[in-house]
Amino acid sequence: MDLSGWDAIGAAVHHPDGRICEMNRPYRNPFWNPGAFLRTLARMPLGRGRAGFHLGDDDYRAGAPVVPVDMSSFVGLFLSRAALHRAGLPDPRLFIYGDDQLYTLQMRRAGLRIGFAPQVRFDHDTTAAQGKGGVVLRPMWKVFYMYRNALMAYRVAAGPWFWPLVPVLLRKWRRNGGDYGPDAALFRTILDQAVRDGLAGRLDRSHDDILRLSRSDAP
């Protein structure tokens, strides 16, 4: 590949059966891109706001060009040595979920260039269930990391729009409890702690504390 003009390259991530893996679909930050912002607003009443700023299926087609993105998954992210030197290493306290969003958004904010290359293909053998509100996480301790880290990523992405956005996110996320059936109350308990820590920028809560909160002894 001709890598001139790029500091990092993100891969096209598919399920083993060939479907695009939604959890790894790159996006352009709508708060930095007026076109993506307007497309997102137009689709929100239809419940399809996400499609306004994530790459479309056409971007994955054979022969499609490399396109710039603001967020790329860690599944198949290639960094130049210069980019790694400037961006540093991901924060291990994030542990799981959203660490790639934060890292690549911060890369872009520092002026580094990330390209999505459909010809670089990764298979992600995941069986994560999809509910009405998105991925349904099991075991339950994963809920804490997903939402705490997502809130911190939104702070970077939204900038001055972050605080007006928070009530919208919280209403949406609390509705996701319906995807957890009998664990809906536990989901909301974990979510509330994740939100408190995310708003405070707190990353020092131990995994043992999170296991106790989620009533789990899973590793």
Side-chain angles (χ1 to χ4, degrees), residues 15 19 21-23 97 124-139 142-143 146-147 176 178-181 187:
H15 291 284
R19 291 175 297 125
C21 193
E22 290 299 329
M23 70 169 62
Y97 297 125
H124 190 180
D125 190 4
T126 176
T127 56
Q130 290 288 325
K132 292 181 180 179
V135 64
V136 179
L137 299 162
R138 300 289 181 179
K142 292 184 176 182
V143 169
M146 171 68 84
Y147 289 95
N176 291 352
D179 290 334
Y180 287 80
F187 168 87

Side-chain angles (χ1 to χ4, degrees), residues 28 48 61 67 73 82 88 91 97 99 116 125-126 130 147 153 169 181 186 190 194-195 202 215 218:
R28 297 184 181 96
R48 299 179 57 246
R61 74 184 188 279
V67 295
S73 166
D91 190 333
Y97 297 125
D99 48 350
F116 169 75
D125 190 4
T126 176
Q130 290 288 325
Y147 289 95
L169 292 173
L186 179 58
I190 300 169
V195 168
R202 180 176 178 181
R215 304 169 197 167

Side-chain angles (χ1 to χ4, degrees), residues 158-174:
W161 293 98
F162 173 70
W163 287 106
L165 181 64
V166 167
V168 178
L169 292 173
L170 298 189
R171 283 196 298 271
K172 177 180 182 296
W173 289 349
R174 287 190 69 81

Side-chain angles (χ1 to χ4, degrees), residues 1 9-15 18-22 24-26 55-62 64-65 72-78 115-124:
M1 289 179 58
I9 291 291
V13 184
H14 298 257
H15 291 284
R19 291 175 297 125
I20 294 171
C21 193
E22 290 299 329
N24 303 120
R25 192 186 286 262
L55 294 190
D57 291 358
D58 282 349
D59 294 301
Y60 285 73
R61 74 184 188 279
S72 184
S73 166
F74 278 160
V75 181
L77 180 67
F78 294 84
F116 169 75
Q119 65 268 49
V120 182
R121 176 169 172 149
F122 269 59
D123 283 352
H124 190 180

Side-chain angles (χ1 to χ4, degrees), residues 151-218:
L151 200 55
M152 297 176 73
Y154 270 109
R155 187 189 293 269
V156 173
W161 293 98
F162 173 70
W163 287 106
L165 181 64
V166 167
V168 178
L169 292 173
L170 298 189
R171 283 196 298 271
K172 177 180 182 296
W173 289 349
R174 287 190 69 81
R175 288 198 299 268
N176 291 352
D179 290 334
Y180 287 80
D183 288 326
L186 179 58
F187 168 87
R188 294 186 179 105
T189 296
I190 300 169
L191 174 65
D192 288 346
Q193 186 62 67
V195 168
R196 287 193 291 270
D197 284 10
L199 291 177
R202 180 176 178 181
L203 290 170
D204 61 349
R205 190 173 300 280
S206 73
H207 187 60
D208 286 342
D209 284 345
I210 296 162
L211 290 177
R212 284 190 289 270
L213 177 67
S214 62
R215 304 169 197 167
S216 173
D217 58 359

Side-chain angles (χ1 to χ4, degrees), residues 77-92:
L77 180 67
F78 294 84
L79 300 174
S80 67
R81 185 174 299 180
L84 186 60
H85 178 74
R86 287 178 59 185
L89 295 171
D91 190 333

